[in-house]
Amino acid sequence: MKHGQLATKELAEFVRESAAIEETYSKSMSKLAKIASNGSPQGTFAPMWDVFRVSSDKLALCHLELMRKMNDLIRDFNKYGDEQVKIHRKTKEEMVGTVEAVQAVQVQNGHLQKSKEGYHAKCFELDRLRKEGAPQKELEKAELKSKKAAESFAVCIEKYNRVGGEFEQKMSESSQKFQEIEETHLRQMKQLIKGYSHSIEDTHVQVGQVHEEFKQNVENIGIDNLIQKFAEQKGTGQDKPGTARLTRRSLVFLFPVGGK
Amino acid sequence: MKHGQLATKELAEFVRESAAIEETYSKSMSKLAKIASNGSPQGTFAPMWDVFRVSSDKLALCHLELMRKMNDLIRDFNKYGDEQVKIHRKTKEEMVGTVEAVQAVQVQNGHLQKSKEGYHAKCFELDRLRKEGAPQKELEKAELKSKKAAESFAVCIEKYNRVGGEFEQKMSESSQKFQEIEETHLRQMKQLIKGYSHSIEDTHVQVGQVHEEFKQNVENIGIDNLIQKFAEQKGTGQDKPGTARLTRRSLVFLFPVGGK
């Protein structure tokens, strides 16, 4: 469960970093739009700068919106993180019985080991006395001890099995509960990732549209058109595209060589 | 033509800034991949980090490639800029005749104005003498002066028209030449913009594929799958998806409560 909380925090951190990257990119695009708007207003190319400026400005907006969506998502992450803490606290309380069962089986396991060792020691002692041909009285005493140790060992086994049964029961319930918690957690995480993924996808589509628009705008501004605009700007009329009708005055303007 | 050279430089600068933005974005994506690869390797969510890492790494590559393509484009810009300078130098040499014609028409225009003013002054003087009833001798002298001024003015007009005709001829040729230069320039600029646009489009398609892959990878890693992987990692076998078969040993591992 601790790992679950950590994963939520780490993924939120990942999204936070993504949002920061998008913010930086958006700012860079605004800067690029500024460069375009500072493009020289003179010469035949001048009207093209507007196409670059508009496109860069739109891209800046797309990435700013993505940043905003990611920030909204981080709020969802934080909300889920808080819920997660509550759920985990509640689960911990519900698990008290299981904790006790674990402790009981651990204690009982200790007893069982000791009892087994005691029994084995008694058996070994009895065996040794028999091999040495000890007096009957001593053998009887050792036999009694061994018998008692066997009984005590049997009681321990029985108790261990009982405690172990409870442990298995509690553990099965708890692990079921843990599994449910993990499933819910992963479902929630995948839902949040889906939100992240959708936001990125939406922006990707928008960015594609801006690129398409840019391409169209560049194509739409014909070379004839640019030359005509330039001629008009210089005070020169134009009768038909492709051939400039230049007056003496405007020609001098186009071709300034000293003097007045 | 100066504006043309400036436009080439400015657009190259714009693309250079774009390339720098893509480089920064690429580096940020690599950083994001690093964050993903530093995601906790424990817990059920752990395998998901790899999906984030792979995706971020691929995005970093996409934007790095775009940066490279833009840098190639800047080389094309520089190459074109050099050609442009050569063409303009050559054109300037070819325009010497036009420069002379412009200067001639300007000089002749000055003469024409002076001559016109002189003629008007003489006419005014003659008119004044007539009104004042000046002596016949004085009137004849003034009439002669006015006639000479009229002849001189007529010569000036004729000369101006001839020089002006040459001027118009030269100017028509030059403006045709300028128009051709501008058309070639704009065609070249549009070609370079097309290269820029294509590179961005290619990257956009690649980025879309990376997003699609990411989405698929997230979907493909099922929740059951993540839980099973986690259980396996913890040394727990699993018979069928969705239900963990937990051994006593592994349960204690999953549920550590003090002591050994």
Side-chain angles (χ1 to χ4, degrees), chain B residues 233-244:
Chain B
Q233 194 191 350
K234 294 298 180 195
T236 315
Q238 191 153 352
D239 296 326
K240 44 180 180 170
T243 50

PDB file of all heavy atoms in Angstrom, chain B residues 233-244:
ATOM      1  N   GLN B 233       7.044 -11.390  -8.402  1.00  0.00           N
ATOM      2  CA  GLN B 233       8.239 -10.691  -7.915  1.00  0.00           C
ATOM      3  C   GLN B 233       8.443 -10.984  -6.437  1.00  0.00           C
ATOM      4  O   GLN B 233       9.570 -11.082  -5.967  1.00  0.00           O
ATOM      5  CB  GLN B 233       8.017  -9.196  -8.149  1.00  0.00           C
ATOM      6  CG  GLN B 233       9.268  -8.348  -8.017  1.00  0.00           C
ATOM      7  CD  GLN B 233       8.915  -6.864  -7.994  1.00  0.00           C
ATOM      8  OE1 GLN B 233       7.774  -6.488  -8.268  1.00  0.00           O
ATOM      9  NE2 GLN B 233       9.868  -6.045  -7.669  1.00  0.00           N
ATOM     10  N   LYS B 234       7.334 -11.137  -5.709  1.00  0.00           N
ATOM     11  CA  LYS B 234       7.398 -11.391  -4.279  1.00  0.00           C
ATOM     12  C   LYS B 234       7.525 -12.879  -3.998  1.00  0.00           C
ATOM     13  O   LYS B 234       7.356 -13.317  -2.860  1.00  0.00           O
ATOM     14  CB  LYS B 234       6.132 -10.848  -3.589  1.00  0.00           C
ATOM     15  CG  LYS B 234       6.000  -9.345  -3.634  1.00  0.00           C
ATOM     16  CD  LYS B 234       7.149  -8.669  -2.908  1.00  0.00           C
ATOM     17  CE  LYS B 234       7.015  -7.165  -2.947  1.00  0.00           C
ATOM     18  NZ  LYS B 234       8.275  -6.511  -2.582  1.00  0.00           N
ATOM     19  N   GLY B 235       7.771 -13.672  -5.028  1.00  0.00           N
ATOM     20  CA  GLY B 235       8.000 -15.101  -4.850  1.00  0.00           C
ATOM     21  C   GLY B 235       6.727 -15.886  -4.652  1.00  0.00           C
ATOM     22  O   GLY B 235       6.719 -16.959  -4.073  1.00  0.00           O
ATOM     23  N   THR B 236       5.629 -15.349  -5.125  1.00  0.00           N
ATOM     24  CA  THR B 236       4.346 -16.010  -4.970  1.00  0.00           C
ATOM     25  C   THR B 236       3.871 -16.513  -6.321  1.00  0.00           C
ATOM     26  O   THR B 236       3.795 -15.744  -7.265  1.00  0.00           O
ATOM     27  CB  THR B 236       3.298 -15.005  -4.439  1.00  0.00           C
ATOM     28  OG1 THR B 236       3.887 -14.286  -3.396  1.00  0.00           O
ATOM     29  CG2 THR B 236       2.056 -15.700  -3.995  1.00  0.00           C
ATOM     30  N   GLY B 237       3.552 -17.778  -6.393  1.00  0.00           N
ATOM     31  CA  GLY B 237       2.994 -18.299  -7.645  1.00  0.00           C
ATOM     32  C   GLY B 237       1.549 -17.867  -7.764  1.00  0.00           C
ATOM     33  O   GLY B 237       0.950 -17.374  -6.823  1.00  0.00           O
ATOM     34  N   GLN B 238       0.988 -18.090  -8.913  1.00  0.00           N
ATOM     35  CA  GLN B 238      -0.424 -17.724  -9.098  1.00  0.00           C
ATOM     36  C   GLN B 238      -1.006 -18.708 -10.092  1.00  0.00           C
ATOM     37  O   GLN B 238      -0.449 -18.936 -11.157  1.00  0.00           O
ATOM     38  CB  GLN B 238      -0.520 -16.296  -9.632  1.00  0.00           C
ATOM     39  CG  GLN B 238      -1.930 -15.786  -9.594  1.00  0.00           C
ATOM     40  CD  GLN B 238      -1.967 -14.280  -9.480  1.00  0.00           C
ATOM     41  OE1 GLN B 238      -0.950 -13.652  -9.285  1.00  0.00           O
ATOM     42  NE2 GLN B 238      -3.140 -13.715  -9.587  1.00  0.00           N
ATOM     43  N   ASP B 239      -2.119 -19.338  -9.717  1.00  0.00           N
ATOM     44  CA  ASP B 239      -2.688 -20.376 -10.563  1.00  0.00           C
ATOM     45  C   ASP B 239      -3.525 -19.798 -11.685  1.00  0.00           C
ATOM     46  O   ASP B 239      -3.362 -20.136 -12.835  1.00  0.00           O
ATOM     47  CB  ASP B 239      -3.532 -21.324  -9.714  1.00  0.00           C
ATOM     48  CG  ASP B 239      -2.653 -22.045  -8.724  1.00  0.00           C
ATOM     49  OD1 ASP B 239      -1.498 -22.326  -9.088  1.00  0.00           O
ATOM     50  OD2 ASP B 239      -3.100 -22.280  -7.584  1.00  0.00           O
ATOM     51  N   LYS B 240      -4.442 -18.943 -11.311  1.00  0.00           N
ATOM     52  CA  LYS B 240      -5.280 -18.340 -12.352  1.00  0.00           C
ATOM     53  C   LYS B 240      -5.361 -16.847 -12.085  1.00  0.00           C
ATOM     54  O   LYS B 240      -5.291 -16.410 -10.937  1.00  0.00           O
ATOM     55  CB  LYS B 240      -6.669 -18.987 -12.363  1.00  0.00           C
ATOM     56  CG  LYS B 240      -7.278 -19.184 -10.983  1.00  0.00           C
ATOM     57  CD  LYS B 240      -8.624 -19.828 -11.063  1.00  0.00           C
ATOM     58  CE  LYS B 240      -9.218 -20.003  -9.636  1.00  0.00           C
ATOM     59  NZ  LYS B 240     -10.597 -20.403  -9.647  1.00  0.00           N
ATOM     60  N   PRO B 241      -5.496 -16.085 -13.144  1.00  0.00           N
ATOM     61  CA  PRO B 241      -5.491 -14.622 -12.974  1.00  0.00           C
ATOM     62  C   PRO B 241      -6.612 -14.200 -12.035  1.00  0.00           C
ATOM     63  O   PRO B 241      -7.700 -14.766 -12.052  1.00  0.00           O
ATOM     64  CB  PRO B 241      -5.748 -14.084 -14.382  1.00  0.00           C
ATOM     65  CG  PRO B 241      -5.557 -15.239 -15.288  1.00  0.00           C
ATOM     66  CD  PRO B 241      -5.791 -16.489 -14.506  1.00  0.00           C
ATOM     67  N   GLY B 242      -6.318 -13.242 -11.219  1.00  0.00           N
ATOM     68  CA  GLY B 242      -7.363 -12.645 -10.401  1.00  0.00           C
ATOM     69  C   GLY B 242      -7.421 -13.211  -8.992  1.00  0.00           C
ATOM     70  O   GLY B 242      -7.945 -12.584  -8.094  1.00  0.00           O
ATOM     71  N   THR B 243      -6.911 -14.441  -8.799  1.00  0.00           N
ATOM     72  CA  THR B 243      -6.897 -14.980  -7.441  1.00  0.00           C
ATOM     73  C   THR B 243      -5.494 -15.443  -7.113  1.00  0.00           C
ATOM     74  O   THR B 243      -4.927 -16.292  -7.790  1.00  0.00           O
ATOM     75  CB  THR B 243      -7.841 -16.197  -7.294  1.00  0.00           C
ATOM     76  OG1 THR B 243      -7.548 -17.097  -8.365  1.00  0.00           O
ATOM     77  CG2 THR B 243      -9.285 -15.792  -7.327  1.00  0.00           C
ATOM     78  N   ALA B 244      -4.950 -14.876  -6.062  1.00  0.00           N
ATOM     79  CA  ALA B 244      -3.583 -15.227  -5.680  1.00  0.00           C
ATOM     80  C   ALA B 244      -3.600 -16.457  -4.794  1.00  0.00           C
ATOM     81  O   ALA B 244      -4.429 -16.577  -3.898  1.00  0.00           O
ATOM     82  CB  ALA B 244      -2.950 -14.060  -4.954  1.00  0.00           C
TER      83      ALA B 244
END
